[in-house]
Amino acid sequence: MSSRLKYVSLGVLVLQTTSLVLTMRYSRTLLGEGPRYLASSAVVSAELLKILTCLLLVFYDHSFSVRALNRVLNEEILNKPMETLKLAIPSGIYTLQNNLLYVALSNLDAATYQVTYQLKILTTALFSVSMLGKRLGLYQWLSLLILMTGIALVQWPTESLGGPSSTPLSAGSQLVGVIAVLIACFSSGFAGVYFEKILKETKQSVWVRNIQLGLFGLVFGLIGVFVYDGERVRESGVFQGYNSLTWTVVALQALGGLVIAAVIKYADNILKGFATSLSIILSTLISYFWLKDFDPTSVFFLGAMLVIAATFLYGYEGKRPAISHSKV
């Protein structure tokens, strides 16, 4: 049952990640009337939706008892301030990361973003080794080397291959997108491993942990809204430019946090990162045939294939130590 839950949650994560990237990219490049929605506002909306969803899940776990829900929130959040404060660090980093992803997808096509963002597998692996004491085998280190090579090929300048570039993005905007992705990769690696460490050190409900994360994320997100977009908020309101597509992005982002939490519970952070890389295939196909903002080159395909090969190489190594659980 546990093995089945692990692979079901990983499969859902792949679908959620692909849908989020494509809808976010489409919403940030779609030309429409009126102002475009604020990325900082969407991040706050996603945190609020995540908190409400987790409250409902805790409510469900306690047989829809208001008294039990109130008791859990008091015991696990209000009466344990130091435990709750531990979540401030990953929450602040996740809020930064979520804002960076909007910046990245405003400046990069979905396929290039998806492949480059897989660098978080490397950062997650390094933080897992240093913070959790995980041991990686030869094949896993080799897969990380292949992964870096693949990502480097994906970022290979298209101009050097001859002929004019067909992408409408300028070199400057692409650089902004790549820098945003790189910072997000390091923040994702650290925050993910830190959160995994907290989850596995305590027996607290994963949904309660996500409520704690969401509360801090809401505070950090609101600070971001008024610091970076305060003038625009005063002019047109927090929900300016929102439409059904925007709310879809918000819902997918909120769902993503919960799916990732489930994956960490039933699998581990590095496996989560590798499973996500499988969505590259879907993102590339849809970006090319539907969004039409991506013209793949042979170098891109080579890089993408290396990233996917690294995925399976890690999975092959990961199955071998799973026989014994005595040192978990």
Side-chain angles (χ1 to χ4, degrees), residues 41-90:
S41 167
V43 170
V44 169
S45 299
E47 290 295 339
L48 188 57
L49 182 57
K50 185 172 76 173
I51 292 170
L52 293 174
T53 304
C54 288
L55 283 171
L56 283 173
L57 288 168
V58 174
F59 194 38
Y60 170 78
D61 285 345
H62 291 82
S63 306
F64 299 103
S65 168
V66 176
R67 181 178 295 177
L69 174 65
N70 185 57
R71 176 178 54 78
V72 168
L73 295 179
N74 274 295
E75 286 181 0
E76 300 295 344
I77 299 177
L78 297 179
N79 295 341
K80 295 180 179 178
M82 295 310 295
E83 287 293 314
T84 302
L85 278 173
K86 286 181 181 179
L87 275 298
I89 296 173

Side-chain angles (χ1 to χ4, degrees), residues 8-320:
V8 167
S9 59
L10 290 173
V12 171
L13 179 61
V14 170
L15 291 175
Q16 181 273 335
T17 304
T18 306
S19 303
L20 175 61
V21 169
L22 293 170
T23 53
M24 190 183 289
R25 169 66 180 167
Y26 186 61
S27 70
R28 298 306 289 174
T29 56
L30 183 66
L31 297 176
E33 296 180 2
R36 192 183 302 279
Y37 73 91
L38 304 175
S40 57
S41 167
V43 170
V44 169
S45 299
E47 290 295 339
L48 188 57
L49 182 57
K50 185 172 76 173
I51 292 170
L52 293 174
T53 304
C54 288
L55 283 171
L56 283 173
L57 288 168
V58 174
F59 194 38
Y60 170 78
D61 285 345
H62 291 82
S63 306
F64 299 103
S65 168
V66 176
R67 181 178 295 177
L69 174 65
N70 185 57
R71 176 178 54 78
V72 168
L73 295 179
N74 274 295
E75 286 181 0
E76 300 295 344
I77 299 177
L78 297 179
N79 295 341
K80 295 180 179 178
M82 295 310 295
E83 287 293 314
T84 302
L85 278 173
K86 286 181 181 179
L87 275 298
I89 296 173
S91 180
I93 296 173
Y94 277 135
T95 304
L96 171 66
Q97 175 192 330
N98 289 334
N99 280 283
L100 286 171
L101 298 189
Y102 280 98
V103 175
L105 281 164
S106 298
N107 294 283
L108 293 174
D109 61 80
T112 302
Y113 161 83
Q114 271 285 68
V115 179
T116 308
Y117 192 42
Q118 300 319 304
L119 189 63
K120 67 182 179 179
I121 300 167
L122 173 64
T123 61
T124 300
L126 295 178
F127 283 120
S128 292
V129 169
S130 61
M131 294 171 63
L132 298 179
K134 286 184 181 288
R135 290 184 178 182
L136 302 182
L138 175 63
Y139 285 107
Q140 289 173 308
W141 285 114
L142 181 60
S143 69
L144 294 175
L145 182 62
I146 294 172
L147 175 77
M148 288 192 299
T149 305
I151 291 172
L153 287 174
V154 166
Q155 288 302 325
W156 198 271
T158 54
E159 291 80 7
S160 64
L161 299 175
S165 175
S166 61
T167 177
L169 295 172
S170 68
S173 66
Q174 285 185 334
L175 180 62
V176 169
V178 170
I179 290 173
V181 173
L182 293 178
I183 297 173
C185 286
F186 279 94
S187 62
S188 173
F190 177 78
V193 173
Y194 187 97
F195 187 44
E196 179 181 350
K197 184 176 172 66
I198 291 174
L199 274 181
K200 292 184 174 179
E201 282 180 351
T202 63
K203 295 181 179 180
Q204 198 174 48
S205 164
V206 68
W207 310 129
V208 172
R209 284 301 192 192
N210 270 276
I211 292 171
Q212 293 170 313
L213 271 180
L215 289 172
F216 284 115
L218 197 60
V219 173
F220 290 132
L222 285 170
I223 292 171
V225 169
F226 292 104
V227 168
Y228 295 106
D229 295 310
E231 189 174 334
R232 294 174 65 184
V233 168
R234 285 188 288 272
E235 288 175 2
S236 306
V238 175
F239 298 107
Q240 58 181 286
Y242 271 54
N243 53 32
S244 57
L245 182 61
T246 310
W247 285 112
T248 301
V249 173
V250 167
L252 284 169
Q253 194 167 31
L255 172 66
L258 302 181
V259 172
I260 288 170
V263 170
I264 294 172
K265 187 75 173 177
Y266 296 113
D268 66 50
N269 232 297
I270 308 175
L271 191 59
K272 175 204 75 177
F274 273 100
T276 306
S277 71
L278 295 176
S279 65
I280 292 169
I281 301 170
L282 288 172
S283 296
T284 302
L285 291 174
I286 297 174
S287 189
Y288 179 69
F289 288 108
W290 178 42
L291 298 181
K292 299 183 185 299
D293 63 350
F294 173 61
D295 189 14
T297 64
S298 56
V299 174
F300 176 89
F301 275 121
L302 177 59
M305 288 301 103
L306 286 175
V307 170
I308 293 168
T311 299
F312 289 103
L313 184 59
Y314 173 83
Y316 171 76
E317 175 69 8
K319 290 174 184 176
R320 301 176 98 180

